[in-house]
Amino acid sequence: MGVRSRTFPALMLFLAAGLGGLFLTGDVFNFYVFFEISMTAAYILTGYREQDFQVRAAFIFAVINLLGSVLFLIGIAALYHVTGSLDMQVIAERIGRSNPSTVIPIATLIFVAFSLKLGLFPFHFWLPAVYVGSHAPVAAILSGALANIGSYGLLRFGAGVLPEELGFGAIVVLVLGVASIVYGALQAVSRHATNEVMAYSAIGQVGYILVALAIGGPIGYAAAFVYAIVNSLNKALVFLASGLRGPLAGAAFAVGAFSIAGVPPAAGFVGKVALFRTGIEGSAPGSGPLGGVAGGVAIVALIFVGSALSFVYSFQVYQRAFLARKNWQERRPSPRPARVLSILLAVFVLAVGLWPEPLLVLGEESASLLLEGEGRR
């Protein structure tokens, strides 16, 4: 992993504490506090090793993070002003009695804040610089952690706290998801550096979660949850393995890269099947923004095309990074602990793909909890 000082383990603990609190809290202000703890640790990790390009990436990350923090805090203050509470469940119950013209701008503000802080399309301009500039293990940590925070935040606030507003803006979310998939895939195909390819791939992969979230309902929410977990595992694996050398590291990278493309038996195949199911079953009349069979066919075709492009850039980057002879001859073998960690993560990705039932059950239960919250409004 290349740990050079005691700050790295401490920052990892801060990041883990922020993530744990963020997933456990039911208070919107505490959510903000834990979010900022995670982001602050991530910002410092981005500049780890203090090379010029890493400091530059950390500065970009800090500026965008501060802007997103201000917008997010304004949105939380507005929710408190409208509902008189910071408890997520109470807000979800009271917000339905408020004037939609008041709530929709608040929901938009919170969505923009998440988009800025997490690099969602079209607010992605800073994300490639941060992922490319970061040390490979740091990029692996950031990609996995940020993907989880963003997906959870969108599900918790969009589906759990502001479901009516999410339904109202479902078409916009769907369009942004489609644009993310196409833009991220095309940019990834056109790049050559491994980290740059995977950075643009991260933009495209979030688009699938946005599409599932826009479709909504038990199928859409479950698919969004499943794909969020799978995407987090995939990104952590490919960014970690991309900085390593050796046959085992190459095998681990191949598992992660082709999992992104949805090639069985990796976990990515499970996520893509869940998305296909969302497009097919969510196309029934009256079932969200699709509005019929034609919309469902379009979503399925989009997922298929996006997966094909993912396979193209995954194979290209694997060929350039691990099959070219000069890479094997000119670079020293990577430290054994890092290679072992990447192999263990690759084995876990394969295990999830071969035995997906626990993940699918968790996705369905999570969707049920979100829909129960909607029913109490």
Side-chain angles (χ1 to χ4, degrees), residues 224-284:
F225 175 85
V226 170
Y227 203 83
I229 298 299
V230 169
N231 184 46
S232 179
L233 292 172
N234 291 341
K235 292 305 173 188
L237 177 56
V238 294
F239 275 106
L240 177 61
S242 66
L244 306 176
R245 287 297 177 268
L248 294 180
F253 183 88
V255 170
F258 292 112
S259 181
I260 292 173
V263 177
F269 177 72
V270 178
K272 291 295 170 65
V273 170
L275 291 170
F276 275 118
R277 183 185 173 195
T278 300
I280 294 171
E281 298 189 19
S283 62

Short mmCIF file of all heavy atoms in Angstrom, two decimals, residues 224-284:
data_model
loop_
_atom_site.label_atom_id
_atom_site.label_comp_id
_atom_site.label_asym_id
_atom_site.label_seq_id
_atom_site.Cartn_x
_atom_site.Cartn_y
_atom_site.Cartn_z
N ALA A 224 -31.00 -0.30 -7.59
CA ALA A 224 -30.07 0.77 -7.25
C ALA A 224 -29.16 0.37 -6.08
O ALA A 224 -27.96 0.62 -6.09
CB ALA A 224 -30.84 2.05 -6.90
N PHE A 225 -29.75 -0.29 -5.08
CA PHE A 225 -28.96 -0.74 -3.93
C PHE A 225 -27.94 -1.80 -4.36
O PHE A 225 -26.75 -1.70 -4.01
CB PHE A 225 -29.89 -1.32 -2.87
CG PHE A 225 -29.18 -1.92 -1.69
CD1 PHE A 225 -28.76 -1.14 -0.63
CD2 PHE A 225 -28.90 -3.28 -1.66
CE1 PHE A 225 -28.09 -1.69 0.45
CE2 PHE A 225 -28.23 -3.86 -0.58
CZ PHE A 225 -27.82 -3.05 0.47
N VAL A 226 -28.39 -2.80 -5.11
CA VAL A 226 -27.49 -3.87 -5.54
C VAL A 226 -26.35 -3.32 -6.39
O VAL A 226 -25.17 -3.65 -6.17
CB VAL A 226 -28.28 -4.96 -6.31
CG1 VAL A 226 -27.32 -5.95 -6.98
CG2 VAL A 226 -29.23 -5.69 -5.38
N TYR A 227 -26.69 -2.46 -7.34
CA TYR A 227 -25.64 -1.95 -8.23
C TYR A 227 -24.69 -1.01 -7.50
O TYR A 227 -23.51 -0.93 -7.84
CB TYR A 227 -26.26 -1.24 -9.43
CG TYR A 227 -25.32 -1.19 -10.60
CD1 TYR A 227 -25.21 -2.27 -11.45
CD2 TYR A 227 -24.50 -0.08 -10.83
CE1 TYR A 227 -24.32 -2.26 -12.52
CE2 TYR A 227 -23.62 -0.06 -11.90
CZ TYR A 227 -23.53 -1.16 -12.73
OH TYR A 227 -22.63 -1.14 -13.76
N ALA A 228 -25.19 -0.29 -6.48
CA ALA A 228 -24.31 0.58 -5.72
C ALA A 228 -23.24 -0.22 -5.00
O ALA A 228 -22.05 0.15 -5.00
CB ALA A 228 -25.13 1.39 -4.71
N ILE A 229 -23.62 -1.34 -4.38
CA ILE A 229 -22.65 -2.18 -3.69
C ILE A 229 -21.66 -2.79 -4.68
O ILE A 229 -20.44 -2.79 -4.47
CB ILE A 229 -23.36 -3.29 -2.90
CG1 ILE A 229 -24.27 -2.69 -1.84
CG2 ILE A 229 -22.34 -4.23 -2.26
CD1 ILE A 229 -23.56 -1.85 -0.80
N VAL A 230 -22.19 -3.31 -5.78
CA VAL A 230 -21.33 -3.95 -6.79
C VAL A 230 -20.36 -2.93 -7.38
O VAL A 230 -19.16 -3.21 -7.56
CB VAL A 230 -22.20 -4.59 -7.89
CG1 VAL A 230 -21.34 -5.02 -9.07
CG2 VAL A 230 -22.97 -5.78 -7.33
N ASN A 231 -20.86 -1.73 -7.69
CA ASN A 231 -20.01 -0.69 -8.27
C ASN A 231 -18.90 -0.27 -7.31
O ASN A 231 -17.76 -0.04 -7.73
CB ASN A 231 -20.87 0.52 -8.64
CG ASN A 231 -20.08 1.61 -9.34
OD1 ASN A 231 -19.30 1.35 -10.24
ND2 ASN A 231 -20.28 2.84 -8.91
N SER A 232 -19.23 -0.20 -6.03
CA SER A 232 -18.21 0.15 -5.04
C SER A 232 -17.10 -0.90 -5.00
O SER A 232 -15.91 -0.56 -4.97
CB SER A 232 -18.87 0.29 -3.66
OG SER A 232 -17.92 0.60 -2.69
N LEU A 233 -17.47 -2.17 -5.02
CA LEU A 233 -16.47 -3.24 -5.02
C LEU A 233 -15.62 -3.21 -6.29
O LEU A 233 -14.39 -3.34 -6.24
CB LEU A 233 -17.17 -4.60 -4.90
CG LEU A 233 -17.86 -4.90 -3.57
CD1 LEU A 233 -18.66 -6.20 -3.68
CD2 LEU A 233 -16.85 -5.00 -2.44
N ASN A 234 -16.28 -3.03 -7.43
CA ASN A 234 -15.56 -3.01 -8.70
C ASN A 234 -14.52 -1.89 -8.76
O ASN A 234 -13.37 -2.11 -9.15
CB ASN A 234 -16.54 -2.85 -9.87
CG ASN A 234 -17.41 -4.08 -10.07
OD1 ASN A 234 -17.10 -5.17 -9.60
ND2 ASN A 234 -18.52 -3.91 -10.77
N LYS A 235 -14.95 -0.69 -8.37
CA LYS A 235 -14.04 0.46 -8.46
C LYS A 235 -12.86 0.32 -7.50
O LYS A 235 -11.72 0.65 -7.84
CB LYS A 235 -14.81 1.76 -8.18
CG LYS A 235 -15.81 2.10 -9.26
CD LYS A 235 -15.14 2.16 -10.61
CE LYS A 235 -16.13 2.34 -11.73
NZ LYS A 235 -15.52 2.20 -13.06
N ALA A 236 -13.14 -0.13 -6.29
CA ALA A 236 -12.05 -0.32 -5.34
C ALA A 236 -11.04 -1.33 -5.88
O ALA A 236 -9.81 -1.13 -5.76
CB ALA A 236 -12.60 -0.79 -3.99
N LEU A 237 -11.52 -2.39 -6.50
CA LEU A 237 -10.64 -3.43 -7.02
C LEU A 237 -9.80 -2.93 -8.19
O LEU A 237 -8.57 -3.13 -8.22
CB LEU A 237 -11.46 -4.65 -7.44
CG LEU A 237 -10.69 -5.82 -8.06
CD1 LEU A 237 -9.58 -6.29 -7.15
CD2 LEU A 237 -11.64 -6.97 -8.39
N VAL A 238 -10.40 -2.29 -9.18
CA VAL A 238 -9.64 -1.89 -10.36
C VAL A 238 -8.64 -0.78 -10.05
O VAL A 238 -7.51 -0.78 -10.57
CB VAL A 238 -10.57 -1.45 -11.53
CG1 VAL A 238 -11.39 -2.62 -12.03
CG2 VAL A 238 -11.47 -0.29 -11.12
N PHE A 239 -8.99 0.16 -9.18
CA PHE A 239 -8.04 1.23 -8.84
C PHE A 239 -6.88 0.68 -8.02
O PHE A 239 -5.74 1.12 -8.17
CB PHE A 239 -8.75 2.35 -8.09
CG PHE A 239 -9.40 3.36 -9.00
CD1 PHE A 239 -10.76 3.40 -9.15
CD2 PHE A 239 -8.63 4.28 -9.69
CE1 PHE A 239 -11.37 4.31 -9.98
CE2 PHE A 239 -9.22 5.22 -10.53
CZ PHE A 239 -10.60 5.23 -10.68
N LEU A 240 -7.17 -0.28 -7.13
CA LEU A 240 -6.10 -0.87 -6.34
C LEU A 240 -5.17 -1.70 -7.23
O LEU A 240 -3.95 -1.55 -7.16
CB LEU A 240 -6.69 -1.75 -5.25
CG LEU A 240 -5.69 -2.52 -4.37
CD1 LEU A 240 -4.79 -1.55 -3.63
CD2 LEU A 240 -6.42 -3.43 -3.39
N ALA A 241 -5.74 -2.56 -8.07
CA ALA A 241 -4.92 -3.44 -8.90
C ALA A 241 -4.19 -2.68 -10.01
O ALA A 241 -3.17 -3.14 -10.50
CB ALA A 241 -5.79 -4.54 -9.51
N SER A 242 -4.73 -1.51 -10.42
CA SER A 242 -4.09 -0.76 -11.51
C SER A 242 -2.70 -0.28 -11.15
O SER A 242 -1.87 -0.04 -12.03
CB SER A 242 -4.97 0.43 -11.92
OG SER A 242 -5.04 1.38 -10.87
N GLY A 243 -2.43 -0.09 -9.85
CA GLY A 243 -1.10 0.36 -9.44
C GLY A 243 -0.14 -0.76 -9.12
O GLY A 243 0.95 -0.50 -8.60
N LEU A 244 -0.53 -2.01 -9.41
CA LEU A 244 0.29 -3.18 -9.07
C LEU A 244 0.80 -3.87 -10.33
O LEU A 244 0.29 -3.64 -11.42
CB LEU A 244 -0.53 -4.16 -8.23
CG LEU A 244 -1.18 -3.60 -6.97
CD1 LEU A 244 -2.02 -4.66 -6.29
CD2 LEU A 244 -0.13 -3.05 -6.02
N ARG A 245 1.78 -4.73 -10.14
CA ARG A 245 2.32 -5.52 -11.25
C ARG A 245 2.52 -6.95 -10.79
O ARG A 245 2.83 -7.21 -9.64
CB ARG A 245 3.65 -4.92 -11.74
CG ARG A 245 3.49 -3.63 -12.52
CD ARG A 245 2.69 -3.85 -13.79
NE ARG A 245 2.45 -2.63 -14.52
CZ ARG A 245 1.38 -1.86 -14.37
NH1 ARG A 245 0.48 -2.18 -13.47
NH2 ARG A 245 1.24 -0.78 -15.10
N GLY A 246 2.36 -7.87 -11.74
CA GLY A 246 2.50 -9.28 -11.46
C GLY A 246 1.31 -10.05 -12.00
O GLY A 246 0.24 -9.48 -12.22
N PRO A 247 1.47 -11.34 -12.24
CA PRO A 247 0.37 -12.14 -12.79
C PRO A 247 -0.88 -12.12 -11.93
O PRO A 247 -2.00 -12.02 -12.45
CB PRO A 247 0.96 -13.56 -12.87
CG PRO A 247 2.44 -13.35 -12.89
CD PRO A 247 2.70 -12.14 -12.07
N LEU A 248 -0.73 -12.21 -10.60
CA LEU A 248 -1.90 -12.21 -9.72
C LEU A 248 -2.59 -10.85 -9.74
O LEU A 248 -3.83 -10.78 -9.72
CB LEU A 248 -1.48 -12.58 -8.30
CG LEU A 248 -0.98 -14.01 -8.10
CD1 LEU A 248 -0.61 -14.25 -6.65
CD2 LEU A 248 -2.03 -15.02 -8.55
N ALA A 249 -1.81 -9.78 -9.77
CA ALA A 249 -2.39 -8.44 -9.85
C ALA A 249 -3.16 -8.27 -11.16
O ALA A 249 -4.24 -7.68 -11.20
CB ALA A 249 -1.31 -7.38 -9.72
N GLY A 250 -2.59 -8.81 -12.26
CA GLY A 250 -3.28 -8.75 -13.54
C GLY A 250 -4.59 -9.52 -13.52
O GLY A 250 -5.60 -9.07 -14.07
N ALA A 251 -4.59 -10.68 -12.86
CA ALA A 251 -5.82 -11.47 -12.76
C ALA A 251 -6.86 -10.73 -11.94
O ALA A 251 -8.05 -10.72 -12.27
CB ALA A 251 -5.51 -12.82 -12.13
N ALA A 252 -6.43 -10.08 -10.84
CA ALA A 252 -7.36 -9.32 -10.01
C ALA A 252 -7.96 -8.15 -10.79
O ALA A 252 -9.16 -7.89 -10.72
CB ALA A 252 -6.65 -8.81 -8.76
N PHE A 253 -7.10 -7.45 -11.54
CA PHE A 253 -7.60 -6.33 -12.35
C PHE A 253 -8.60 -6.83 -13.39
O PHE A 253 -9.62 -6.19 -13.65
CB PHE A 253 -6.45 -5.61 -13.04
CG PHE A 253 -6.88 -4.41 -13.82
CD1 PHE A 253 -6.96 -3.17 -13.21
CD2 PHE A 253 -7.19 -4.51 -15.17
CE1 PHE A 253 -7.36 -2.06 -13.93
CE2 PHE A 253 -7.60 -3.41 -15.90
CZ PHE A 253 -7.69 -2.17 -15.28
N ALA A 254 -8.31 -7.97 -14.01
CA ALA A 254 -9.23 -8.52 -15.01
C ALA A 254 -10.58 -8.82 -14.41
O ALA A 254 -11.63 -8.55 -15.03
CB ALA A 254 -8.63 -9.78 -15.63
N VAL A 255 -10.60 -9.37 -13.21
CA VAL A 255 -11.88 -9.66 -12.54
C VAL A 255 -12.68 -8.37 -12.35
O VAL A 255 -13.88 -8.31 -12.65
CB VAL A 255 -11.64 -10.37 -11.19
CG1 VAL A 255 -12.93 -10.44 -10.38
CG2 VAL A 255 -11.08 -11.76 -11.42
N GLY A 256 -12.00 -7.32 -11.84
CA GLY A 256 -12.70 -6.06 -11.61
C GLY A 256 -13.15 -5.39 -12.89
O GLY A 256 -14.29 -4.89 -12.98
N ALA A 257 -12.27 -5.39 -13.90
CA ALA A 257 -12.61 -4.72 -15.16
C ALA A 257 -13.77 -5.40 -15.86
O ALA A 257 -14.70 -4.73 -16.34
CB ALA A 257 -11.38 -4.69 -16.07
N PHE A 258 -13.75 -6.72 -15.92
CA PHE A 258 -14.83 -7.41 -16.61
C PHE A 258 -16.09 -7.52 -15.76
O PHE A 258 -17.18 -7.73 -16.28
CB PHE A 258 -14.35 -8.77 -17.08
CG PHE A 258 -13.31 -8.67 -18.16
CD1 PHE A 258 -12.00 -9.05 -17.95
CD2 PHE A 258 -13.64 -8.15 -19.41
CE1 PHE A 258 -11.04 -8.92 -18.94
CE2 PHE A 258 -12.69 -8.03 -20.41
CZ PHE A 258 -11.37 -8.40 -20.18
N SER A 259 -15.95 -7.32 -14.45
CA SER A 259 -17.14 -7.19 -13.61
C SER A 259 -17.86 -5.88 -13.92
O SER A 259 -19.10 -5.82 -13.92
CB SER A 259 -16.75 -7.24 -12.13
OG SER A 259 -17.88 -7.15 -11.30
N ILE A 260 -17.09 -4.83 -14.19
CA ILE A 260 -17.70 -3.56 -14.61
C ILE A 260 -18.51 -3.75 -15.88
O ILE A 260 -19.60 -3.18 -16.04
CB ILE A 260 -16.60 -2.50 -14.82
CG1 ILE A 260 -15.96 -2.13 -13.48
CG2 ILE A 260 -17.17 -1.25 -15.50
CD1 ILE A 260 -14.77 -1.21 -13.61
N ALA A 261 -18.00 -4.56 -16.80
CA ALA A 261 -18.69 -4.82 -18.05
C ALA A 261 -19.87 -5.78 -17.89
O ALA A 261 -20.65 -5.96 -18.84
CB ALA A 261 -17.71 -5.37 -19.08
N GLY A 262 -20.00 -6.41 -16.72
CA GLY A 262 -21.11 -7.34 -16.49
C GLY A 262 -20.87 -8.73 -17.02
O GLY A 262 -21.83 -9.45 -17.34
N VAL A 263 -19.61 -9.14 -17.10
CA VAL A 263 -19.28 -10.48 -17.60
C VAL A 263 -19.41 -11.48 -16.45
O VAL A 263 -18.82 -11.29 -15.39
CB VAL A 263 -17.85 -10.51 -18.17
CG1 VAL A 263 -17.46 -11.91 -18.61
CG2 VAL A 263 -17.71 -9.52 -19.32
N PRO A 264 -20.18 -12.55 -16.63
CA PRO A 264 -20.29 -13.55 -15.56
C PRO A 264 -18.99 -14.33 -15.44
O PRO A 264 -18.23 -14.42 -16.41
CB PRO A 264 -21.45 -14.44 -16.04
CG PRO A 264 -21.48 -14.27 -17.53
CD PRO A 264 -21.02 -12.87 -17.79
N PRO A 265 -18.68 -14.89 -14.25
CA PRO A 265 -19.54 -14.96 -13.05
C PRO A 265 -19.26 -13.86 -12.05
O PRO A 265 -19.53 -14.04 -10.85
CB PRO A 265 -19.16 -16.32 -12.48
CG PRO A 265 -17.68 -16.43 -12.77
CD PRO A 265 -17.47 -15.74 -14.09
N ALA A 266 -18.70 -12.73 -12.44
CA ALA A 266 -18.36 -11.67 -11.50
C ALA A 266 -19.63 -10.99 -10.99
O ALA A 266 -20.72 -11.12 -11.57
CB ALA A 266 -17.44 -10.66 -12.18
N ALA A 267 -19.47 -10.21 -9.91
CA ALA A 267 -20.61 -9.56 -9.28
C ALA A 267 -21.29 -8.55 -10.21
O ALA A 267 -22.50 -8.30 -10.09
CB ALA A 267 -20.17 -8.86 -8.00
N GLY A 268 -20.52 -7.98 -11.14
CA GLY A 268 -21.12 -7.02 -12.06
C GLY A 268 -22.25 -7.61 -12.88
O GLY A 268 -23.19 -6.91 -13.27
N PHE A 269 -22.17 -8.91 -13.16
CA PHE A 269 -23.24 -9.57 -13.91
C PHE A 269 -24.55 -9.52 -13.13
O PHE A 269 -25.63 -9.31 -13.70
CB PHE A 269 -22.84 -11.01 -14.21
CG PHE A 269 -23.90 -11.81 -14.92
CD1 PHE A 269 -24.19 -11.56 -16.24
CD2 PHE A 269 -24.60 -12.81 -14.25
CE1 PHE A 269 -25.18 -12.30 -16.90
CE2 PHE A 269 -25.57 -13.55 -14.89
CZ PHE A 269 -25.87 -13.29 -16.22
N VAL A 270 -24.46 -9.70 -11.81
CA VAL A 270 -25.66 -9.64 -10.95
C VAL A 270 -26.27 -8.24 -11.01
O VAL A 270 -27.50 -8.09 -11.12
CB VAL A 270 -25.30 -10.01 -9.51
CG1 VAL A 270 -26.51 -9.90 -8.60
CG2 VAL A 270 -24.72 -11.42 -9.45
N GLY A 271 -25.41 -7.22 -10.94
CA GLY A 271 -25.92 -5.86 -11.02
C GLY A 271 -26.58 -5.56 -12.35
O GLY A 271 -27.64 -4.91 -12.39
N LYS A 272 -25.99 -6.01 -13.46
CA LYS A 272 -26.58 -5.76 -14.76
C LYS A 272 -27.91 -6.51 -14.93
O LYS A 272 -28.86 -6.00 -15.52
CB LYS A 272 -25.60 -6.17 -15.87
CG LYS A 272 -24.37 -5.26 -15.95
CD LYS A 272 -24.73 -3.85 -16.34
CE LYS A 272 -23.57 -2.87 -16.19
NZ LYS A 272 -22.46 -3.14 -17.11
N VAL A 273 -28.00 -7.73 -14.41
CA VAL A 273 -29.27 -8.47 -14.47
C VAL A 273 -30.35 -7.73 -13.70
O VAL A 273 -31.51 -7.64 -14.15
CB VAL A 273 -29.08 -9.91 -13.92
CG1 VAL A 273 -30.43 -10.59 -13.74
CG2 VAL A 273 -28.21 -10.72 -14.86
N ALA A 274 -30.00 -7.19 -12.53
CA ALA A 274 -30.97 -6.41 -11.76
C ALA A 274 -31.43 -5.19 -12.54
O ALA A 274 -32.63 -4.84 -12.50
CB ALA A 274 -30.36 -6.00 -10.42
N LEU A 275 -30.52 -4.55 -13.27
CA LEU A 275 -30.90 -3.39 -14.07
C LEU A 275 -31.78 -3.79 -15.25
O LEU A 275 -32.74 -3.09 -15.59
CB LEU A 275 -29.65 -2.67 -14.56
CG LEU A 275 -28.83 -1.96 -13.48
CD1 LEU A 275 -27.49 -1.50 -14.04
CD2 LEU A 275 -29.60 -0.76 -12.93
N PHE A 276 -31.45 -4.92 -15.91
CA PHE A 276 -32.30 -5.40 -17.00
C PHE A 276 -33.72 -5.68 -16.49
O PHE A 276 -34.71 -5.35 -17.14
CB PHE A 276 -31.71 -6.68 -17.60
CG PHE A 276 -30.67 -6.43 -18.65
CD1 PHE A 276 -29.37 -6.87 -18.48
CD2 PHE A 276 -30.99 -5.75 -19.83
CE1 PHE A 276 -28.40 -6.63 -19.45
CE2 PHE A 276 -30.03 -5.51 -20.80
CZ PHE A 276 -28.72 -5.95 -20.61
N ARG A 277 -33.80 -6.28 -15.31
CA ARG A 277 -35.11 -6.56 -14.72
C ARG A 277 -35.87 -5.26 -14.44
O ARG A 277 -37.08 -5.18 -14.64
CB ARG A 277 -34.93 -7.35 -13.42
CG ARG A 277 -36.24 -7.75 -12.77
CD ARG A 277 -35.99 -8.42 -11.43
NE ARG A 277 -37.22 -8.67 -10.72
CZ ARG A 277 -37.30 -8.96 -9.45
NH1 ARG A 277 -36.19 -9.05 -8.72
NH2 ARG A 277 -38.46 -9.17 -8.86
N THR A 278 -35.13 -4.24 -14.00
CA THR A 278 -35.75 -2.94 -13.76
C THR A 278 -36.33 -2.36 -15.04
O THR A 278 -37.45 -1.84 -15.06
CB THR A 278 -34.71 -1.97 -13.18
OG1 THR A 278 -34.21 -2.50 -11.95
CG2 THR A 278 -35.32 -0.61 -12.92
N GLY A 279 -35.56 -2.44 -16.13
CA GLY A 279 -36.05 -1.91 -17.39
C GLY A 279 -37.26 -2.66 -17.92
O GLY A 279 -38.18 -2.07 -18.49
N ILE A 280 -37.28 -3.98 -17.71
CA ILE A 280 -38.37 -4.80 -18.25
C ILE A 280 -39.64 -4.66 -17.40
O ILE A 280 -40.72 -4.32 -17.90
CB ILE A 280 -37.95 -6.28 -18.33
CG1 ILE A 280 -36.83 -6.44 -19.36
CG2 ILE A 280 -39.15 -7.16 -18.71
CD1 ILE A 280 -36.20 -7.82 -19.37
N GLU A 281 -39.51 -4.88 -16.09
CA GLU A 281 -40.68 -4.86 -15.22
C GLU A 281 -41.14 -3.44 -14.90
O GLU A 281 -42.29 -3.24 -14.54
CB GLU A 281 -40.38 -5.62 -13.92
CG GLU A 281 -40.05 -7.08 -14.15
CD GLU A 281 -39.96 -7.86 -12.86
OE1 GLU A 281 -40.49 -7.37 -11.84
OE2 GLU A 281 -39.38 -8.96 -12.87
N GLY A 282 -40.24 -2.49 -15.01
CA GLY A 282 -40.63 -1.10 -14.76
C GLY A 282 -41.26 -0.43 -15.96
O GLY A 282 -41.62 0.74 -15.90
N SER A 283 -41.44 -1.17 -17.07
CA SER A 283 -42.01 -0.58 -18.28
C SER A 283 -43.51 -0.75 -18.36
O SER A 283 -44.12 -0.37 -19.36
CB SER A 283 -41.37 -1.22 -19.52
OG SER A 283 -41.64 -2.61 -19.56
N ALA A 284 -44.12 -1.32 -17.32
CA ALA A 284 -45.56 -1.47 -17.34
C ALA A 284 -46.23 -0.10 -17.30
O ALA A 284 -45.71 0.84 -16.73
CB ALA A 284 -46.01 -2.30 -16.14
#
